[in-house]
Amino acid sequence: MVDWNMTELKHILKAEQFTDIKELDRLFGLADELRAADEKGQVPQSLAGKIVATLFFEPSTRTRLSFEAAALKLGAQVISTENAREALSANKGETLQDTIKIVNGYADIIVLRHYEKGGAEIAAEVSEIPVINAGDGAGEHPTQALGDVYTLQKELGRVAGLKIALVGDLLYGRTVHSLLPILGLYKDVTVYLVSPPQLRFPKEYTKTRIVLKEFDNVEEILPEVDVLYVTRIQKERFASEQEYQNLKGSYVINGENLKKLKKEAIVMHPLPRVDEISSEIDSDPRAAYFRQAQNGLYLRMALLSEILK
Amino acid sequence: MVDWNMTELKHILKAEQFTDIKELDRLFGLADELRAADEKGQVPQSLAGKIVATLFFEPSTRTRLSFEAAALKLGAQVISTENAREALSANKGETLQDTIKIVNGYADIIVLRHYEKGGAEIAAEVSEIPVINAGDGAGEHPTQALGDVYTLQKELGRVAGLKIALVGDLLYGRTVHSLLPILGLYKDVTVYLVSPPQLRFPKEYTKTRIVLKEFDNVEEILPEVDVLYVTRIQKERFASEQEYQNLKGSYVINGENLKKLKKEAIVMHPLPRVDEISSEIDSDPRAAYFRQAQNGLYLRMALLSEILK
Amino acid sequence: MVDWNMTELKHILKAEQFTDIKELDRLFGLADELRAADEKGQVPQSLAGKIVATLFFEPSTRTRLSFEAAALKLGAQVISTENAREALSANKGETLQDTIKIVNGYADIIVLRHYEKGGAEIAAEVSEIPVINAGDGAGEHPTQALGDVYTLQKELGRVAGLKIALVGDLLYGRTVHSLLPILGLYKDVTVYLVSPPQLRFPKEYTKTRIVLKEFDNVEEILPEVDVLYVTRIQKERFASEQEYQNLKGSYVINGENLKKLKKEAIVMHPLPRVDEISSEIDSDPRAAYFRQAQNGLYLRMALLSEILK
């Protein structure tokens, strides 16, 4: 069973809440059903009469639209603030807790994006309606991770036994932090951590039964892996432009790299992508990142309908 | 009967329009019915097919979400602009009148927040659909005042005879300006005006049959009042930081103050709150401000369904 | 028949796609039907279950609200970003193509406002769902042009044979660029191009069977024309404030001008208007610009229902 937090409310705050593969399989199955219904234009309106509040304290158009489309397809209505941090600055210091308590009176569930790590937990502590963490600073982004594992299952038919390379900025990348605990539920997963030395995976996330291997360079692991999960490296993380330029090339996935990748492997990316994956490979069937984005939608539909049922 | 402005259209522009307690009782009764229906998930979809335009020329996320949730719960749809002032600056000077006339072609009712006093009246003059004033500069905020009086009725069972302290910035506080005319409809209301000398209640609002009493300090009136209605004091209103710091303490409501307050009294606040009410009292049953926010939602639902029926 | 672009998808990218008057008449007839249904509160919910994404990379509240109201009236739901350029800047360079591909997974149709000419065509190239160009930089704004021609038909009963003055900034005015190709489908249309020498109509748009006549001044053509289509002249287009002030007067339409205009002529404007039309003429029955805005709504409803049926 999922540990739906400490309370009776079904908050989704972090990936670690999900501790049971059967529960994940059930969620993924529900996502599949909702996808099939959507393709026939027959999504059950199970959230009719419900209001979903998307409170984004920093803009994330992609995540917000994904949740809003998920809610609307299930028949819910949406109230939203695209950039609460700026809009609420007029308040000169209202606490997150107060905002959450007020919105409790208007909505049935809150989807929260906050700029500080731990924001979602603070919200959940005072909320009388469920809170979904849609990203909290450098913390977690659990629905992204769930959608990613759903993508593995859907694209490759299994998660157990996979060899997965996480490539890029592993230090600040919220996405990969949330991914590890869920991968850890499956047997025999090997994760190749490929990053510049400055951007290594944080030690705090390495308590896992997954076999972790560190690499500096992506080239050598290409022939081995089933999944190439690429994240963006930000120029600002480096001491000098020169240092960044020297390293950058090692982490750009292009047509040449793809030749070395297995035929049945896939390339994933949480998006947005800048130039760490060349658009020349978009048409390769192994490029799974846009399918991954759509899987995220159906996974969110499954979560919303589970939580509000 | 309500004076629905000069025209046949049911604009809500200022608190002074409401001149009949029976009409208020009817509204509050309707709000109660809608609340009961909402709790059962059975709100009548009386606004199905209607479009509510929320035009906010300055951000006020709380008020906007309250109106939008109210509209959606009744089956209406919403078109919205979160910060029209900025978005419309691209227009380099379109008049408010033109914006209103254009939106007349798209929506069935306009909820308007404007940054200038009188904005709502200007809008109503040219509008062929109802306009609701959701705050116009330092002017009025009549739906807030209606929700507040509904809260008094709901929490204390009556309005007549109440002793109500208005505490804080009474000079610039739009909320308290709109509250007085409605309180004035009820018998034997006493209002204690508690503010620093710089922020006294404006003379223009004192033409009322309410007994008004001025105080500098909140402590002395605590044991007498039924309602402590707190508003925020802004640092900018003072000549020096020192002056502000000296005064500030007198207007912070904390656990100590609460000990002196009657057991059956309530503490209200239009929100957002910063530090003028200590969060330590949030769990006290007399802290009514979050219930007050939710009452505002149901009052707005009642108004929308009355106006558009 | 309409050339719905090169693909099977019914993109609306530019006015030149519309090549058949019969098709336009059918669209205008559908717009009339939808208007009649709307006035009775009985719009067919033909878009129920559909999601319309309004992606505005620069704010245009008027156009966005028009499309959103059109979608909602037909029963669709809307996901929206009011200012994607700013919101997506956090992405540090995601391409428009990527944004479009991701939204493909969430919505059934995209309404795109982009700040660069050609933005809509770039989007359509990668999109698997229809794209409607809601303005692309100095490029086109085809749904505005369709609404304008619908207005001519509705107000004057015909388009063929009309004498139409386009007044103001003809060089940068996207609206008039999109209008010409559609007017060119009708017989015996004469267009009077009235602009300062600096802001002449671009040569590239003059390949048309319409008789085009250039004028510097609006006064002389007033008694001749059936339609005065006014656009805004921006101060920034002039070398000096003095030059602007000298010219400005010739292009302001006021009560004096209207005396010279035919009784059955109309004044149009794509809005927003600043001071190029004096508000003193708003109450003149020939002032058609607010009716024109509402016609745009019904025309957009007709387009959405055609494309998504």
Side-chain angles (χ1 to χ4, degrees), chain A residues 251-293:
Chain A
Y251 300 94
V252 171
I253 308 304
N254 55 27
E256 278 308 300
N257 296 129
L258 234 62
K259 286 181 192 163
K260 297 174 194 152
L261 200 64
K262 289 185 200 168
K263 276 215 168 141
E264 63 283 6
I266 59 170
V267 183
M268 295 175 69
H269 191 297
L271 304 178
R273 160 226 355 222
V274 183
D275 52 13
E276 59 278 8
I277 297 182
S278 165
S279 66
E280 72 188 25
I281 75 160
D282 287 3
S283 55
D284 190 294
R286 292 171 291 181
Y289 26 91
F290 293 115
R291 297 192 296 273
Q292 180 186 0

Side-chain angles (χ1 to χ4, degrees), chain B residues 104-157:
Chain B
N104 271 218
Y106 305 161
D108 297 289
I109 187 167
I110 291 171
V111 176
L112 179 74
R113 171 69 149 249
H114 203 262
Y115 45 87
E116 280 185 7
K117 191 172 168 173
E121 300 200 1
I122 288 171
E125 271 166 30
V126 300
S127 184
E128 296 175 7
I129 61 176
V131 172
I132 297 182
N133 182 1
D136 59 330
E140 296 224 17
H141 194 355
T143 65
Q144 173 76 40
L146 291 169
D148 291 348
V149 178
Y150 174 45
T151 298
L152 296 175
Q153 181 70 48
K154 197 144 191 65
E155 295 273 330
L156 301 167

Side-chain angles (χ1 to χ4, degrees), chain B:
Chain B
M1 242 192 60
V2 188
D3 173 13
W4 291 110
N5 207 31
M6 307 113 279
T7 76
E8 283 171 41
L9 283 177
K10 297 175 170 179
H11 301 303
I12 309 265
L13 304 180
K14 48 186 183 179
E16 288 80 354
Q17 280 175 256
F18 295 86
T19 57
D20 181 352
I21 291 180
K22 273 181 204 152
E23 182 64 21
L24 291 179
D25 284 343
R26 216 173 50 72
L27 257 184
F28 298 164
L30 182 51
D32 281 344
E33 283 169 34
L34 290 166
R35 179 197 311 264
D38 188 38
E39 282 164 2
K40 281 183 260 174
Q42 294 173 348
V43 179
Q45 300 295 288
S46 57
L47 266 56
K50 302 287 186 188
I51 291 186
V52 175
T54 53
L55 300 185
F56 277 58
F57 279 79
E58 60 179 16
S60 173
T61 305
R62 209 166 297 91
T63 302
R64 184 174 58 80
L65 295 187
S66 175
F67 271 109
E68 292 182 5
L72 294 168
K73 278 174 184 283
L74 289 161
Q77 293 288 6
V78 173
I79 57 175
S80 177
T81 178
E82 198 169 341
N83 192 352
R85 187 183 203 168
E86 196 184 280
L88 294 172
S89 75
N91 301 343
K92 311 194 176 188
E94 186 183 56
T95 62
L96 175 58
Q97 286 94 329
D98 274 19
T99 305
I100 296 296
K101 281 184 196 166
I102 294 163
V103 175
N104 271 218
Y106 305 161
D108 297 289
I109 187 167
I110 291 171
V111 176
L112 179 74
R113 171 69 149 249
H114 203 262
Y115 45 87
E116 280 185 7
K117 191 172 168 173
E121 300 200 1
I122 288 171
E125 271 166 30
V126 300
S127 184
E128 296 175 7
I129 61 176
V131 172
I132 297 182
N133 182 1
D136 59 330
E140 296 224 17
H141 194 355
T143 65
Q144 173 76 40
L146 291 169
D148 291 348
V149 178
Y150 174 45
T151 298
L152 296 175
Q153 181 70 48
K154 197 144 191 65
E155 295 273 330
L156 301 167
R158 67 197 161 106
V159 182
L162 289 180
K163 292 184 166 59
I164 301 170
L166 304 179
V167 180
D169 177 356
L170 306 184
L171 179 55
Y172 299 100
R174 172 169 63 191
T175 308
V176 293
H177 303 168
S178 285
L179 193 54
L180 259 279
I182 302 184
L183 291 179
L185 303 177
Y186 294 86
K187 275 190 195 163
D188 299 328
V189 173
T190 309
V191 168
Y192 297 68
L193 300 165
V194 186
S195 73
Q198 302 92 320
L199 300 172
R200 289 277 190 246
F201 201 70
K203 286 273 172 287
E204 61 183 292
Y205 294 100
T206 56
K207 289 166 202 148
T208 168
R209 62 169 178 170
I210 301 171
V211 180
L212 296 174
K213 302 179 177 183
E214 288 200 338
F215 296 85
D216 286 356
N217 198 296
V218 77
E219 303 260 338
E220 52 187 314
I221 55 95
L222 286 171
E224 289 182 41
V225 300
D226 304 300
V227 180
L228 203 60
Y229 192 108
V230 185
T231 64
R232 184 153 49 97
I233 292 183
Q234 293 174 281
K235 206 190 291 187
E236 309 88 271
R237 306 302 185 194
F238 292 85
S240 71
E241 171 78 22
Q242 191 53 47
E243 197 184 338
Y244 170 69
Q245 291 300 341
N246 290 346
L247 268 162
K248 197 182 142 189
S250 321
Y251 300 95
V252 170
I253 308 304
N254 54 28
E256 279 307 300
N257 296 130
L258 234 61
K259 287 181 190 163
K260 299 174 192 150
L261 200 64
K262 289 185 199 167
K263 277 217 168 140
E264 62 283 8
I266 58 171
V267 182
M268 295 174 68
H269 192 298
L271 305 178
R273 161 236 338 232
V274 183
D275 51 12
E276 59 277 7
I277 296 182
S278 165
S279 64
E280 72 188 23
I281 75 160
D282 288 2
S283 55
D284 190 294
R286 291 170 292 180
Y289 25 91
F290 294 117
R291 299 192 295 274
Q292 180 186 359
Q294 186 158 36
N295 291 339
L297 171 82
Y298 291 118
L299 192 281
R300 286 174 182 124
M301 287 176 72
L303 278 175
L304 286 173
S305 59
E306 271 295 289
I307 297 172
L308 288 175
K309 83 180 174 190

Side-chain angles (χ1 to χ4, degrees), chain C residues 61-106:
Chain C
T61 306
R62 208 166 297 92
T63 302
R64 183 174 59 80
L65 296 187
S66 175
F67 270 108
E68 292 182 4
L72 294 168
K73 278 175 184 282
L74 290 161
Q77 293 289 6
V78 172
I79 56 175
S80 177
T81 178
E82 199 170 339
N83 193 352
R85 187 184 204 167
E86 197 184 280
L88 295 173
S89 75
N91 300 343
K92 311 193 177 190
E94 186 184 58
T95 61
L96 174 59
Q97 285 94 330
D98 274 17
T99 305
I100 295 296
K101 281 183 198 168
I102 293 163
V103 175
N104 271 218
Y106 304 160

Side-chain angles (χ1 to χ4, degrees), chain C residues 2-20:
Chain C
V2 187
D3 173 13
W4 291 110
N5 207 30
M6 306 115 277
T7 76
E8 280 172 41
L9 284 177
K10 296 175 171 177
H11 302 302
I12 309 265
L13 304 179
K14 48 186 183 178
E16 289 80 356
Q17 280 174 256
F18 296 85
T19 57
D20 181 351

